[in-house]
Amino acid sequence: MPVRNLFSTAARMAVVAVMLTAGSAYADDYSDVAQLLKSGKTQQALQKADTYLAKNARDPQMRFLRGIALTNDGKTEDAITAFRLLTEDYPELPEPYNNLAVIYARQGDLDRARSALEAAVRNNPNYAVAHENLGDIYARLAYQSYAQSLAKGGRPAALNPKLKQLKDMLQPAASVAAPAAGPAAAQPTQPAQR
């Protein structure tokens, strides 16, 4: 289960959604920020998003793109705050929950990641990415539980095959580019951000 490119897919999805619901002037702003993110110009994307949000502070699509820019810029706590505030202001949107879950998973907080993903699929039961990520989190939690059982004297004959199977399943495919914040050697793949 490979990690998907976090910016391009998220930016494309946000831009498409915005273009369907917003006027062309706004779509240009969204497209500009999404393009800057795609081309790795995170600081410029963040500046453009902040300029836009100074006039349209509650715009959920630009706030979402800003959260992605903060994530890409390594401003994890600011990104968490941005996505958390989006979930408070627009609790019906599943994407901010999904992106929060990705950050939490990268930090190793699988319980918070699970909770965020459960909220995402509750809000949109057809959100395939969140379902996939939730499956990854459940598999990672299973891996941790089996490893703890083994460490506490559990039955190696029963646990080692399960651990191997989960580890093999959760390792990124060799043909997929390594994620920006790759998993540790014994850690399964990070969830995909959208």
Side-chain angles (χ1 to χ4, degrees):
M1 289 179 232
V3 174
R4 297 194 183 142
N5 184 328
L6 135 104
F7 330 120
S8 64
T9 305
R12 265 186 282 138
M13 289 178 61
V15 168
V16 169
V18 167
M19 291 176 97
L20 293 173
T21 60
S24 62
Y26 291 134
D28 289 343
D29 289 325
Y30 301 129
S31 296
D32 290 348
V33 172
Q35 185 58 40
L36 289 167
L37 286 170
K38 185 176 181 180
S39 63
K41 298 177 181 174
T42 305
Q43 283 296 318
Q44 291 174 347
L46 199 50
Q47 289 171 349
K48 187 153 184 80
D50 286 341
T51 299
Y52 176 91
L53 288 169
K55 297 176 185 171
N56 306 288
R58 294 201 34 90
D59 185 296
Q61 289 87 1
M62 190 60 77
R63 288 171 61 189
F64 183 76
L65 289 172
R66 183 178 184 276
I68 292 170
L70 290 166
T71 303
N72 296 351
D73 201 29
K75 296 177 180 172
T76 304
E77 291 307 314
D78 291 337
I80 288 172
T81 299
F83 291 128
R84 187 183 48 73
L85 289 172
L86 266 172
T87 66
E88 291 172 9
D89 293 343
Y90 301 95
E92 70 280 4
L93 297 176
E95 293 85 0
Y97 290 104
N98 184 71
N99 285 35
L100 273 174
V102 170
I103 294 169
Y104 294 148
R106 286 183 178 163
Q107 293 177 332
D109 192 344
L110 300 182
D111 288 329
R112 284 176 70 184
R114 178 190 43 77
S115 293
L117 288 166
E118 287 172 348
V121 298
R122 239 187 342 268
N123 289 340
N124 183 353
N126 296 319
Y127 190 21
V129 171
H131 280 286
E132 178 183 351
N133 288 342
L134 187 56
D136 289 345
I137 294 300
Y138 287 145
R140 289 177 70 183
L141 288 167
Y143 184 92
Q144 285 182 350
S145 291
Y146 291 145
Q148 284 179 351
S149 177
L150 188 62
K152 296 180 186 304
R155 302 172 300 136
L159 295 168
N160 283 332
K162 292 176 185 179
L163 285 166
K164 182 181 180 337
Q165 186 176 19
L166 281 169
K167 186 175 180 181
D168 291 346
M169 178 183 77
L170 292 170
Q171 291 302 316
S175 63
V176 176
Q187 292 293 323
T189 315
Q190 299 293 332
Q193 217 169 1
R194 298 282 182 249

